[in-house]
């Protein structure tokens, strides 16, 4: 993936349990993992969306990043105030070592 395509900046978050300071109860929260990661954010075209509907109805965009260890489908991505849920982590088809493609769905994920 060429560096010029990675013109967007996205934040990765992972679910975690933190203690509520008032009640002491353990509650689920989202914790920042990586901030301002260079990425390519591409909304799916209507044609791609219809083709993908057969297997993955929720996928609304594709986010590409340089390969990074530790990216998991349980994480979520924040881009321009929108929350994207990662539906899968796909390595590049040639070497598997250069970049990752993340099919994502848009919407709030409370974990």
């Amino acid at each position: 993936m060429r560096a010029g395509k990675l013109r967007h900046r996205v934040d990765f978050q992972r679910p975690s349990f933190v203690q509520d300071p008032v009640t002491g109860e353990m509650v689920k929260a989202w914790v920042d993992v990586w901030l301002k990661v260079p990425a390519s954010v591409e909304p799916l075209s209507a044609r791609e969306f219809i083709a993908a509907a057969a297997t993955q109805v929720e996928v609304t965009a594709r986010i590409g990043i340089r390969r990074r260890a530790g990216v998991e489908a349980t994480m979520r991505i924040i881009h321009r105030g929108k929350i994207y849920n990662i539906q899968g982590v796909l390595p590049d088809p040639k070497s598997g070592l250069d970049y990752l493609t993340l099919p994502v769905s848009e919407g709030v994920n409370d974990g």
Side-chain angles (χ1 to χ4, degrees):
M1 180 172 293
R2 298 183 57 142
K5 288 191 171 198
L6 305 177
R7 65 184 179 276
H8 303 103
R9 297 295 178 260
V10 298
D11 300 334
F12 282 79
Q13 295 182 329
R14 98 169 355 125
S16 181
F17 285 95
V18 296
Q19 189 170 18
D20 186 312
V22 176
T23 64
E25 178 184 6
M26 296 301 286
V27 294
K28 192 176 285 189
W30 289 94
V31 179
D32 291 332
V33 179
W34 302 298
L35 300 174
K36 298 183 180 177
V37 175
S40 166
V41 179
E42 302 171 17
L44 292 181
S45 68
R47 171 190 249 170
E48 290 171 317
F49 186 77
I50 291 169
T55 56
Q56 295 181 343
V57 176
E58 297 181 15
V59 173
T60 58
R62 167 184 321 128
I63 296 178
I65 62 169
R66 287 190 184 98
R67 186 182 174 283
R68 181 180 290 251
V71 176
E72 301 170 359
T74 58
M75 295 177 166
R76 71 181 186 181
I77 296 173
I78 311 293
H79 174 62
R80 293 185 179 165
K82 290 185 179 178
I83 298 172
Y84 294 97
N85 303 313
I86 300 174
Q87 300 299 318
V89 180
L90 308 171
D92 69 277
K94 291 184 181 177
S95 69
L97 302 174
D98 293 329
Y99 64 90
L100 298 174
T101 300
L102 309 169
V104 296
S105 61
E106 191 175 338
V108 177
N109 184 351
D110 62 358

